Amino acid sequence: MSAARFRQAAQESVSGLPRAFWWLWTSTLVNRLGAFVATFMTLYLTSDRGYSASFAGLVVALHGLGGVMSSLVAGVLTDRLGRRPTLLAAQASTAFSVALLGFMEHPAAIAAAALLVGMTSNASRPAVAAMMADIVRPEDRVRAFALNYWAINLGFGVSAAVAGLIAEYSYLAGFLGEAVLTLACAVLVFVKLPESRPEGGPTGAGKGTGAEPAIGLGTVLRDGRFMGVVGLSFLISLIFTQGSVGLPVAMGAAGFSPGDYGLVVAVNGFLIVLLQIPVTAFIEHRDPQKLLVISALLAGYGFALTAFAGPLWAYALTVCVWTLAEIVNSPTQMGLVVRLSPVHGRGRYQGVYNLSWAVASLIAPLMAGFVIDRYGADRLWAATGVLGTVAAAGYWLLMRRLPEGEAGVTVAAGSPRTDRAEVAGEPQVDAKPAAAPATGVA
């Protein structure tokens, strides 16, 4: 892509989005600048506290269990109470629980605090995704969600590099820094973001108006097509989670420092910052089936290549491969999720979707700790290749069954379509249409 084309793509990506989106985007950026616990929990427990990989995997799994416990509840609260109060409560409680974790000494207390952090931090995700879908027009979602993902990884890239250096001197400072920035996000949401929940539709099981059916968790779980997406997301999540649980343990065992791991994993964030906009411009007109299949293979085999890494640059090279998979998979898959979610059930649908990541966060650390302790890291990386292959086959089969127009991509602005959100009466936001057809992203 030429420099002129890159500038044009960047300009098209940031133009015409509502002001509320940019405040939500800013909140995301600030939040990710403080990311520490999820990235350095494993190293904190193994390198600083001297616990085994299995115990570290157990604690990180409890963090994931907390996310499992809160995902569905947060999704329901997002629809019932609203996006803003759910987001405020989640971020304020996350700030408290992260600070608490930094002061815990006893193994049982560390485990309990990690569970609490997982519950509170994961509770904000359905609200953020639902609010973003509310305030951005369907044809603009590719740009909005890609930009949000860009902010996540800009913050992650900076925080991973800086926090890696901080961790070499004081892990407590990292915990407290994340708590302060998360609390700042809560203040920003309180001051700048209005409630975005659509009015006039069903808000829970047993409540329906006119032709709009009631939407409860049972509705989501009976949606076979959507649950297929959730299942495939779980497989992909198992792979990507190894970047924060399997990779640091493997690098630590190979003699690398926390700072080395921080620099390597920061490559992931910085590449997304550099490539997300041009890659999004390239893929928005492409076949989503092919994009999801290719990204699953790149993810699986990108991590599998870690088995052959020796010097630090080789680890960084493997990160480049699976980062490209992440750049392609996230917008394409999340566009499909938003497309399949009824407007008045977005919180519940997002809650169930986020459950796939939460369950993966529970299982992946246990899997990584067990496999590394029992068989060695090479077996873990081989397993990621298998998971990527299975996920690619699943995407290929699922997307074959989707009718034209339900893939959530390549729909020209203003063209006739049967988007569930539009059928449900989604309110339109005064924002300039995208300059080109776009895929939806979350």
Side-chain angles (χ1 to χ4, degrees):
M1 176 179 287
S2 66
R5 177 57 184 150
F6 180 85
R7 286 194 297 270
Q8 181 184 358
Q11 184 177 4
E12 291 174 353
S13 295
V14 300
S15 63
L17 294 169
R19 180 176 299 178
F21 163 78
W22 290 110
W23 286 118
L24 189 60
W25 182 91
T26 302
S27 173
T28 298
L29 177 61
V30 173
N31 181 271
R32 294 306 297 171
L33 284 172
F36 184 86
V37 172
T39 306
F40 287 93
M41 174 66 80
T42 303
L43 278 175
Y44 168 64
L45 294 172
T46 56
S47 299
D48 188 67
R49 292 301 184 92
Y51 293 112
S52 68
S54 295
F55 177 77
L58 174 63
V59 172
V60 177
L62 287 173
H63 182 276
L65 177 61
V68 173
M69 295 167 64
S70 67
S71 287
L72 298 181
V73 175
V76 172
L77 292 177
T78 296
D79 283 338
R80 285 186 176 273
L81 299 182
R83 285 62 158 135
R84 186 170 178 265
T86 303
L87 190 53
L88 277 171
Q91 290 181 335
S93 56
T94 298
F96 168 78
S97 59
V98 167
L100 181 67
L101 176 61
F103 289 101
M104 293 297 99
E105 296 287 344
H106 192 277
I110 292 174
L115 176 67
L116 181 61
V117 171
M119 292 176 62
T120 56
S121 61
N122 196 70
S124 64
R125 293 181 181 178
V128 170
M131 179 177 282
M132 196 164 295
D134 294 339
I135 64 181
V136 177
R137 288 170 40 157
E139 59 265 30
D140 289 333
R141 285 179 189 144
V142 62
R143 300 184 296 118
F145 293 128
L147 284 167
N148 190 66
Y149 194 62
W150 186 83
I152 289 172
N153 287 279
L154 174 62
F156 173 76
V158 174
S159 69
V162 174
L165 299 176
I166 293 175
E168 294 186 3
Y169 297 97
S170 172
Y171 278 92
L172 178 60
F175 286 111
L176 295 179
E178 177 169 349
V180 169
L181 288 175
T182 304
L183 188 60
C185 291
V187 173
L188 183 62
V189 169
F190 178 77
V191 173
K192 292 295 185 180
L193 284 175
E195 178 56 55
S196 67
R197 182 181 60 175
E199 299 296 335
T203 59
K207 296 181 181 180
T209 58
E212 298 179 19
I215 299 173
L217 286 176
T219 307
V220 186
L221 298 176
R222 289 191 297 270
D223 190 335
R225 185 174 296 154
F226 178 78
M227 293 306 297
V229 175
V230 172
L232 294 173
S233 171
F234 168 72
L235 296 182
I236 292 295
S237 303
L238 282 178
I239 298 172
F240 283 127
T241 305
Q242 298 309 323
S244 59
V245 292
L247 184 59
V249 171
M251 290 187 66
F256 292 103
S257 70
D260 292 331
Y261 167 69
L263 290 175
V264 166
V265 78
V267 172
N268 171 256
F270 285 123
L271 277 180
I272 291 175
V273 170
L274 291 174
L275 299 179
Q276 186 69 68
I277 291 175
V279 171
T280 298
F282 177 76
I283 69 174
E284 63 183 3
H285 304 297
R286 309 292 171 175
D287 181 0
Q289 181 191 53
K290 293 179 181 178
L291 293 175
L292 290 170
V293 169
I294 292 172
S295 65
L297 293 174
L298 284 174
Y301 291 103
F303 274 97
L305 287 173
T306 310
F308 304 99
L312 196 65
W313 65 264
Y315 282 96
L317 186 61
T318 65
V319 173
C320 292
V321 176
W322 55 261
T323 295
L324 181 59
E326 190 177 355
I327 291 172
V328 174
N329 181 271
S330 180
T332 309
Q333 178 170 260
M334 292 301 293
L336 187 58
V337 170
V338 172
R339 185 79 176 191
L340 295 176
S341 304
V343 63
H344 294 292
R346 278 180 180 151
R348 289 173 173 84
Y349 270 72
Q350 288 292 341
V352 173
Y353 172 73
N354 279 286
L355 189 64
S356 66
W357 286 89
V359 173
S361 296
L362 168 64
I363 294 177
L366 296 175
M367 179 180 77
F370 175 80
V371 173
I372 290 175
D373 283 348
R374 183 68 62 89
Y375 303 107
D378 287 352
R379 293 288 183 90
L380 176 66
W381 307 130
T384 63
V386 174
L387 290 174
T389 303
V390 172
Y395 280 126
W396 182 74
L397 292 172
L398 177 69
M399 299 299 285
R400 284 179 58 196
R401 297 169 54 194
L402 287 178
E404 185 69 23
E406 284 204 14
V409 294
T410 319
V411 180
S415 62
R417 60 181 177 179
T418 57
D419 191 312
R420 285 192 186 190
E422 292 180 341
V423 172
E426 177 180 11
Q428 295 298 300
V429 179
D430 184 14
K432 186 173 71 175
T439 57
V441 200

